[in-house]
């Protein structure tokens, strides 16, 4: 936060950051499964409130512009090519980056960084795969404030990957390279994908389509209401006001027909998990008594 304040104060023509709730939910560890493997709505999880209060603080301290809510992919791409944004991590960024040629100005202006580590220390929960989110956090290269870049690198650190040569140079020039050894690097029981990503097949099937017009109508009405409430919370006057509106939002979402949608999603999710599990079992070759598959 303090590092972004330096950018806001000394580089007034640059947007300090674009961050959105979807990215923060993943980085702060909001899960779509509880400990029993039951599907749960991430918006109801405490990490969502943490993300909303974080966005609200960025906005109140003039580091997050209100245009975030109307920003199109084309507008974001133009700003990145012109070097108008210092730090960015949004839902649409990865789809922009994967379509760019290797010599695009964006790659000349920006360096990929890792996801921000939340104060709670909870493990990341990415929507599809770890590489996708890793590529979706970028910071501006050509800045006069190398210490700001270095401090952001320490905060936005990929806990299981080494710094790139460019990042290493920024840390050394800023005199902060000695802090790298103090960064938390959890011991992974599996690879990064299995540690940090939610199950792909159940997730994609879950949000593919709705069973009937009534469910689709409930979904559209809920999403429109929730989107409006998110904007209201981010633009609130205090973290207490964010919490109050958030509580009201949860209560309103749980009223009426939303429970029908929630029950359908849970049922759909469990069926998707069963399908994924059966497909994995079928993919394993069977061994006969003779040792042949």
């Amino acid at each position: 936060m303090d590092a972004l304040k330096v950018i806001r104060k000394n580089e007034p023509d640059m947007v300090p950051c674009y961050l959105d709730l979807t990215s923060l939910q993943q980085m702060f560890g909001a899960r779509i499964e509880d400990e029993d493997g039951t599907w749960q709505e991430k918006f109801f999880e405490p990490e969502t409130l943490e993300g909303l209060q974080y966005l609200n603080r960025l906005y109140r301290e003039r580091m997050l512009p209100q245009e975030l809510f109307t920003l199109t992919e084309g507008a974001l791409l133009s700003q990145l090519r012109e070097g108008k944004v210092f730090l960015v991590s949004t839902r649409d960024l990865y789809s922009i980056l994967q379509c760019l040629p290797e010599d695009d100005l964006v790659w000349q202006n920006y360096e990929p960084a890792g996801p921000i580590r939340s104060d709670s220390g909870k493990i990341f929960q990415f929507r599809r795969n770890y590489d996708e989110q890793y590529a979706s956090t970028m910071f501006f290269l050509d800045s006069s404030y190398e210490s700001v870049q270095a401090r952001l690198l320490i905060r936005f650190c990929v806990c299981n990957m080494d710094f790139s040569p460019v990042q290493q140079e920024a840390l050394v020039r800023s005199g902060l390279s000695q802090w790298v050894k103090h960064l938390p690097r959890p011991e992974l029981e599996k690879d990064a994908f299995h540690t940090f990503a939610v199950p792909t097949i159940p997730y994609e099937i879950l949000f593919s389509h709705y069973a009937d017009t009534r469910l689709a109508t409930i979904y559209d009405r809920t999403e429109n209401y929730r989107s409006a409430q998110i904007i209201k919370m981010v633009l609130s006057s205090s973290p207490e006001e964010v919490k109050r509106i958030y509580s009201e939002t949860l209560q309103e979402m749980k009223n009426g027909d939303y429970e029908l949608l929630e029950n359908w999603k849970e049922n759909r999710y469990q069926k998707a998990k069963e399908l994924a599990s059966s497909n994995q079992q079928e993919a394993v070759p069977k061994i006969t008594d003779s040792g042949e598959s």
Side-chain angles (χ1 to χ4, degrees):
M1 192 73 72
D2 291 338
L4 291 176
K5 288 180 182 179
V6 174
I7 299 301
R8 182 203 65 197
K9 179 179 179 180
N10 295 285
E11 300 191 18
D13 294 331
M14 177 171 283
V15 175
C17 72
Y18 284 133
L19 297 174
D20 65 12
L21 181 60
T22 300
S23 297
L24 290 178
Q25 282 176 314
Q26 296 173 73
M27 291 190 273
F28 288 0
R31 302 180 61 89
I32 64 168
E33 280 190 4
D34 63 17
E35 294 180 353
D36 298 323
T38 303
W39 176 84
Q40 58 188 11
E41 169 58 65
K42 287 197 297 184
F43 192 76
F44 293 165
E45 299 309 300
E47 295 82 13
T48 295
L49 176 58
E50 181 184 4
L52 287 165
Q53 290 179 323
Y54 186 78
L55 290 172
N56 171 253
R57 182 181 174 189
L58 288 172
Y59 176 75
R60 286 187 289 106
E61 300 197 20
R62 296 181 292 114
M63 288 176 283
L64 182 73
Q66 191 170 336
E67 67 184 70
L68 169 70
F69 301 113
T70 56
L71 190 66
T72 64
E73 288 190 8
L76 176 57
L77 179 57
S78 295
Q79 291 188 37
L80 292 174
R81 282 174 171 161
E82 296 173 9
K84 296 293 186 181
V85 185
F86 188 80
L87 181 74
V88 57
S89 182
T90 63
R91 179 181 57 187
D92 299 326
L93 181 60
Y94 181 73
S95 60
I96 295 175
L97 298 180
Q98 67 179 156
C99 297
L100 299 181
E102 293 182 2
D103 59 349
D104 194 276
L105 280 174
V106 172
W107 301 119
Q108 299 176 34
N109 290 337
Y110 290 86
E111 170 76 4
I116 186 173
R117 294 180 287 109
S118 71
D119 292 336
S120 67
K122 291 181 180 178
I123 196 169
F124 310 126
Q125 293 291 314
F126 300 127
R127 289 189 304 161
R128 293 184 179 87
N129 62 63
Y130 187 69
D131 291 337
E132 187 168 306
Q133 181 61 43
Y134 173 69
S136 299
T137 305
M138 310 279 285
F139 79 95
F140 189 61
L141 277 172
D142 189 19
S143 173
S144 302
Y145 301 94
E146 292 179 347
S147 62
V148 171
Q149 293 173 327
R151 291 181 185 281
L152 285 173
L153 278 173
I154 291 175
R155 187 65 178 177
F156 285 75
C157 173
V158 182
C159 295
N160 69 312
M161 293 184 179
D162 294 327
F163 290 108
S164 71
V166 173
Q167 295 170 354
Q168 288 278 16
E169 291 175 8
L171 291 167
V172 171
R173 288 196 301 268
S174 301
L176 295 174
S177 58
Q178 72 274 14
W179 291 100
V180 174
K181 61 183 179 181
H182 300 298
L183 294 174
R185 288 180 177 266
E187 294 182 6
L188 304 182
E189 296 181 0
K190 300 180 180 180
D191 58 28
F193 176 83
H194 289 92
T195 302
F196 296 121
V198 297
T200 302
I201 294 177
Y203 190 91
E204 295 302 329
I205 294 178
L206 172 62
F207 292 98
S208 58
H209 60 83
Y210 292 94
D212 54 37
T213 303
R214 184 182 183 188
L215 287 174
T217 300
I218 296 172
Y219 172 79
D220 289 339
R221 184 171 63 245
T222 301
E223 286 303 298
N224 290 335
Y225 169 72
R226 176 162 44 190
S227 297
Q229 292 297 96
I230 288 173
I231 296 175
K232 186 184 297 185
M233 284 182 272
V234 174
L235 304 185
S236 294
S237 59
S238 67
E240 292 76 22
E241 181 73 0
V242 174
K243 187 174 182 179
R244 182 188 66 77
I245 298 174
Y246 178 71
S247 298
E248 292 178 356
T249 304
L250 296 190
Q251 186 62 44
E252 182 65 25
M253 287 178 62
K254 291 178 181 178
N255 291 335
D257 294 332
Y258 179 75
E259 186 175 355
L260 294 175
L261 180 62
E262 192 170 30
N263 291 338
W264 179 84
K265 284 186 175 182
E266 161 58 14
N267 180 266
R268 182 87 173 186
Y269 186 76
Q270 294 304 325
K271 288 182 178 179
K273 286 180 63 176
E274 293 173 6
L275 176 62
S277 177
S278 63
N279 285 343
Q280 289 175 353
Q281 292 176 3
E282 291 175 2
V284 177
K286 296 182 180 180
I287 306 300
T288 64
D289 293 337
S290 63
E292 298 177 350
S293 60

